[in-house]
Amino acid sequence: MFEVRRLQINYKTLEEFQKFREFGLEELSMKEDLEANIVENDSESPFYGIYDNDLLVARMSLYKIDGKYDRYFQPTQDYYELWKLEVLPDYRKKDYGTALVNHAKSFGAPIKTNSRCRADQFWLNMGFTPVKYNPMRDRGENPYVWLPENVGLQD
Amino acid sequence: MFEVRRLQINYKTLEEFQKFREFGLEELSMKEDLEANIVENDSESPFYGIYDNDLLVARMSLYKIDGKYDRYFQPTQDYYELWKLEVLPDYRKKDYGTALVNHAKSFGAPIKTNSRCRADQFWLNMGFTPVKYNPMRDRGENPYVWLPENVGLQD
């Protein structure tokens, strides 16, 4: 059995993030904020994860976007951007990725992600659909979205 | 010897793109536009590439962003977003990636890219610098920028 947990911002979490392929300015910025006491130790982060025997083996970031910046959904509304979904190589094929995405869907708001490295089939299996590519808005991304009931796409 | 060429939009180019790892809605949209005669065969694309014996082995997309959408540079101005820089595995260590980035710099405008999969050292070597991460603007990306003379960063 496993559960999806909201990850807290602390040095232990940041150390665990080092094992993931996608690691960059977002994580470094969290570290700086912690060091400068701009965020408190153990405050809530936008990251959710799954532990296997006390080891963080899967994670995603789920970032709430205010409806006034919404360029995807109809009617325009608050939605989530999901990024950095990643399962450590030795822990794949256990549905950890699916569990994280289902957790994101459980909040009931629309979700937008960027399907990378030809993961399209995974997102289709998760009930996401590709949008019509708009170069100025999408800038090289492959946006896939999940629509709750009564939510459509812009244009 | 090799040269960087601007790639034309046609079925041959799209077929060549299939070999690259990053392939998605942008490429599919180019194909649909070609099929629907929305773009003409052999029009110029935002892609640049390098051929080795008639085989496309490296590519990048360079997309001009209007200064009114600029949230990175000071003074605000037109700049390029560089994405999908990729060299096919058998053709690495030949400076093809470097040649493409130098070509992008030769236009003289600032450049913004997203350093992925821990490619930070490559971008630093290319003279790019990381920005201060802004969650709302950068949304999980790792933005690295190249600044021509007399151009600075916002905030």
Side-chain angles (χ1 to χ4, degrees):
Chain A
M1 280 305 298
F2 60 88
E3 54 167 358
V4 173
R5 286 196 231 160
R6 186 156 193 177
L7 303 180
Q8 299 200 298
I9 300 178
N10 55 44
Y11 291 104
K12 179 169 177 292
T13 302
L14 289 169
E15 181 64 33
E16 290 170 325
F17 282 177
Q18 293 278 4
K19 296 204 186 73
F20 290 81
R21 189 171 164 85
E22 288 298 333
F23 182 95
L25 299 180
E26 183 180 21
E27 289 80 358
L28 293 174
S29 155
M30 283 166 68
K31 182 151 182 268
E32 281 166 17
D33 290 350
L34 202 54
E35 284 166 351
N37 293 313
I38 294 169
V39 291
E40 282 180 53
N41 192 45
D42 294 337
S43 13
E44 291 193 327
S45 77
F47 284 95
Y48 294 80
I50 294 173
Y51 285 85
D52 187 314
N53 289 316
D54 284 330
L55 185 73
L56 182 70
V57 297
R59 71 163 192 178
M60 69 173 171
S61 180
L62 202 58
Y63 194 85
K64 183 81 153 276
I65 306 290
D66 191 288
K68 70 183 170 205
Y69 300 112
D70 175 13
R71 297 184 63 194
Y72 290 97
F73 304 102
Q74 184 75 262
T76 56
Q77 60 197 285
D78 292 359
Y79 70 97
Y80 285 105
E81 288 210 354
L82 191 167
W83 61 67
K84 298 193 179 179
L85 176 65
E86 187 175 342
V87 180
L88 295 183
D90 293 347
Y91 297 85
R92 291 179 189 165
K93 313 278 179 203
K94 292 169 187 276
D95 289 333
Y96 288 162
T98 301
L100 285 168
V101 175
N102 283 337
H103 191 78
K105 288 155 95 172
S106 73
F107 297 117
I111 304 168
K112 180 241 152 186
T113 193
N114 177 18
S115 172
R116 302 209 53 266
C117 300
R118 303 188 180 232
D120 305 60
Q121 195 55 52
F122 171 78
W123 293 108
L124 292 171
N125 293 346
M126 291 289 95
F128 282 60
T129 46
V131 304
K132 182 167 167 17
Y133 183 73
N134 172 336
M136 194 56 219
R137 176 190 66 184
D138 300 323
R139 302 186 179 189
E141 287 197 349
N142 301 312
Y144 273 68
V145 294
W146 178 73
L147 304 170
E149 261 185 79
N150 302 318
V151 177
L153 282 170
Q154 286 179 34
D155 65 44
Chain B
M1 281 305 297
F2 59 89
E3 55 167 356
V4 173
R5 286 195 230 160
R6 184 156 196 178
L7 303 180
Q8 300 200 296
I9 299 178
N10 55 44
Y11 291 104
K12 180 168 177 292
T13 301
L14 289 169
E15 181 65 32
E16 290 170 325
F17 282 177
Q18 294 277 6
K19 296 203 187 72
F20 290 81
R21 189 170 164 85
E22 288 298 334
F23 182 94
L25 299 180
E26 183 179 20
E27 289 80 358
L28 293 174
S29 154
M30 283 166 69
K31 182 151 182 269
E32 281 166 17
D33 290 351
L34 202 54
E35 284 167 349
N37 293 310
I38 294 169
V39 291
E40 281 180 54
N41 192 45
D42 294 337
S43 8
E44 290 191 330
S45 78
F47 285 95
Y48 294 80
I50 293 173
Y51 285 86
D52 187 313
N53 289 317
D54 285 330
L55 185 73
L56 182 70
V57 297
R59 71 163 193 178
M60 70 173 170
S61 178
L62 203 58
Y63 194 85
K64 184 81 153 277
I65 306 289
D66 191 290
K68 70 182 169 201
Y69 300 111
D70 175 11
R71 297 184 61 195
Y72 290 97
F73 304 103
Q74 184 74 261
T76 56
Q77 59 198 284
D78 292 359
Y79 71 97
Y80 285 106
E81 288 210 355
L82 190 167
W83 61 67
K84 297 193 179 178
L85 176 65
E86 186 176 342
V87 180
L88 294 183
D90 293 346
Y91 296 86
R92 291 178 189 164
K93 313 277 177 202
K94 289 169 188 278
D95 288 334
Y96 288 162
T98 300
L100 285 168
V101 176
N102 283 337
H103 192 77
K105 288 155 94 172
S106 73
F107 297 117
I111 305 169
K112 179 240 151 187
T113 193
N114 176 19
S115 171
R116 302 210 52 269
C117 299
R118 305 191 178 227
D120 305 59
Q121 195 54 54
F122 171 78
W123 292 107
L124 292 170
N125 292 346
M126 289 289 95
F128 282 60
T129 47
V131 303
K132 180 165 167 22
Y133 184 72
N134 171 337
M136 195 55 220
R137 176 190 66 185
D138 299 323
R139 302 187 178 188
E141 287 197 349
N142 302 312
Y144 273 67
V145 294
W146 179 75
L147 304 168
E149 261 185 80
N150 301 319
V151 177
L153 281 172
Q154 287 178 32
D155 64 46

